[in-house]
Amino acid sequence: MTEESSRLGNELRDSRADAAILSRAEDVCYATGFEVPPPIDAGAAFAYGPALAVVAQDGTSVLLAPGAYVARVEEMSCADENVLVEGFGHFEPVDGRARFLEAIAQALATVGARDGAKVAVDPSSLPAEVRSELGDREVVDVRPATRSARLIKTPREIELLRAAAAVCDAGHEELMRVAAPGRNELDVMGDVLTRVGVAAGQPVPWAGELVTGPRTGALRYPGGPIDRDLASGDTVLMDLSIRVRGYWADCTNVFAVGEEPTAEQLRFFRAAHDAFESAVAELRPGRVASDAHAAAVDAFARHGFEPRHYTGHQIGVAVNEDPRLVPYDRTPIEVGMVFSVEPGCYGGDLGTGARAEKIVLVTDGGPEILSRFEWGMKI
């Protein structure tokens, strides 16, 4: 049993649910430690259904994973019981549907959620076929419980987020090293991802964008990389999101390539940097999420800009979590929250823009910036 599954069990108890069936990849990882692979490989194709986790009020957890992921399960899972669900036979046929539904029934019995129990599920992601197998069990929405459990990060999660931030740092450092006039965006991104894989010790899932030159002035995420060669003086902006052992880092840096930044490039970066610093200063107990956004708005106004998007979001087993730094989110800021703060400003036809994003931990002593890479432009 992990602290995370125990915390979720407490939330289930408060909501009077006997157990939960978790169907979102990030919730499965939160409860069991198993990093669900992106569903693009043969293992996913062989599987009848997705990886699931069943959690009881006392925090007992059962992981149901496709049989093709046996090595990953053995390496990563912290569940009290692992059930490998075979959906494909190499030499004899397998009834994948029957195996999948049997595994669910077995897991529910293991955690004591028998007929008549109240089971919490995510209606937005649970396969309809699973729900139809719940019989006369009362079904409620698990999302309030998972949101509440994941709101404050455990010490183990914070260390995993630190590790992910360090890998993301390596990617941004590599970008600063290899981006040069004449290099192709796709080649540059390849170098960045190679460095990220080396830092993590294995290939990692990633998302984000690399945009250069005039495309940095427009907000069309994800806008690249594309087949374009960098020109001297280009603005280079990379928003890199990577997942390491189930936990995400999400950071953005911007700089000028081949030449010193122009006064106009610096004007955009200074605005984004000021908005970042102003928002980070609000990430302390006693404030609410919308305070950070308001501080960023005021900072942009000092530079003659208006924000084009939200100021940031919490991060964990999902790359983008509640609370979010938006004008309408009044969630109190608490010690143990971890945010990606990412204010940006964009010049449109002016052909340049800037976004400043790093990962910030809320502590008793004030905000701690976990990202260590250096900003590409100097104030």
Side-chain angles (χ1 to χ4, degrees):
M1 184 185 303
T2 64
E3 182 177 348
E4 293 77 31
S5 65
S6 179
R7 187 177 288 187
L8 178 56
N10 290 336
E11 295 295 335
L12 295 174
R13 186 180 302 110
D14 290 346
S15 62
R16 295 183 171 81
D18 298 293
I21 301 177
L22 305 177
S23 47
R24 286 191 175 276
E26 57 264 33
D27 290 332
V28 172
C29 181
Y30 179 79
T32 70
F34 176 65
E35 183 184 17
V36 181
I40 57 175
D41 64 356
F46 291 155
Y48 182 82
L52 303 172
V54 178
V55 180
Q57 275 190 3
D58 65 359
T60 298
S61 62
V62 181
L63 172 66
L64 285 66
Y69 298 148
V70 57
R72 292 177 64 96
V73 169
E74 291 174 350
E75 175 193 358
M76 305 184 73
S77 176
C78 301
D80 297 284
E81 182 176 335
N82 299 313
V83 178
L84 294 168
V85 186
E86 299 298 340
F88 172 78
H90 287 273
F91 305 106
E92 298 291 340
V94 170
D95 186 339
R97 178 181 185 276
R99 296 282 185 90
F100 182 62
L101 298 179
E102 288 168 3
I104 292 166
Q106 175 187 335
L108 289 169
T110 297
V111 301
R114 303 187 185 279
D115 290 349
K118 180 185 286 188
V119 178
V121 305
D122 186 335
S124 69
S125 60
L126 186 73
E129 201 160 21
V130 175
R131 186 160 181 171
S132 68
E133 291 294 310
L134 293 179
D136 66 354
R137 297 176 179 88
E138 182 182 353
V139 175
V140 296
D141 194 334
V142 77
R143 289 173 293 184
T146 54
R147 180 189 186 278
S148 183
R150 288 165 45 189
L151 204 58
I152 310 300
K153 307 312 178 194
T154 66
R156 185 187 76 91
E157 290 185 284
I158 290 170
E159 290 311 304
L160 286 166
L161 287 163
R162 286 185 188 276
V167 174
C168 200
D169 287 347
H172 280 286
E173 291 161 0
E174 184 72 1
L175 176 70
M176 293 281 289
R177 190 182 73 83
V178 301
R183 292 219 60 196
N184 188 279
E185 285 184 16
L186 293 166
D187 290 336
V188 169
M189 197 70 201
D191 288 344
V192 168
L193 295 177
T194 296
R195 182 70 187 94
V196 163
V198 169
Q202 61 185 21
V204 298
W206 73 280
E209 69 173 358
L210 172 65
V211 290
T212 66
R215 298 198 332 281
T216 61
L219 183 60
R220 295 191 178 91
Y221 178 91
I226 63 172
D227 181 11
R228 178 185 186 271
D229 293 338
L230 278 65
S232 185
D234 275 350
T235 302
V236 177
L237 184 155
M238 183 175 75
D239 186 341
L240 180 63
S241 302
I242 53 100
R243 189 179 77 180
V244 182
R245 297 194 69 84
Y247 281 77
W248 285 89
D250 180 12
C251 300
T252 307
N253 201 1
V254 62
F255 57 95
V257 65
E259 301 176 10
E260 290 298 310
T262 65
E264 187 70 357
Q265 288 170 322
L266 283 171
R267 184 171 78 93
F268 277 85
F269 176 69
R270 285 170 178 154
H273 180 268
D274 190 6
F276 172 87
E277 295 285 346
S278 298
V280 168
E282 297 297 315
L283 297 179
R284 58 185 69 246
R287 306 291 201 270
V288 296
S290 58
D291 290 338
H293 180 74
V297 171
D298 290 345
F300 277 131
R302 292 194 291 270
H303 295 267
F305 290 106
E306 294 182 357
R308 293 283 305 280
H309 53 70
Y310 67 168
T311 299
H313 52 88
Q314 199 172 193
I315 192 166
V317 287
V319 70
N320 198 303
E321 298 186 342
D322 292 332
R324 296 182 173 94
L325 306 182
V326 292
Y328 52 84
D329 194 327
R330 304 290 296 174
T331 303
I333 301 298
E334 299 184 61
V335 171
M337 289 182 170
V338 181
F339 289 91
S340 281
V341 181
E342 58 170 321
C345 49
Y346 312 90
D349 292 341
L350 295 177
T352 194
R355 185 158 65 248
E357 182 179 18
K358 289 187 175 184
I359 300 171
V360 182
L361 168 66
V362 180
T363 76
D364 285 320
E368 177 189 349
I369 297 177
L370 302 187
S371 306
R372 304 301 184 190
F373 68 87
E374 293 187 4
W375 295 121
M377 295 191 197
K378 307 304 179 185
I379 301 301

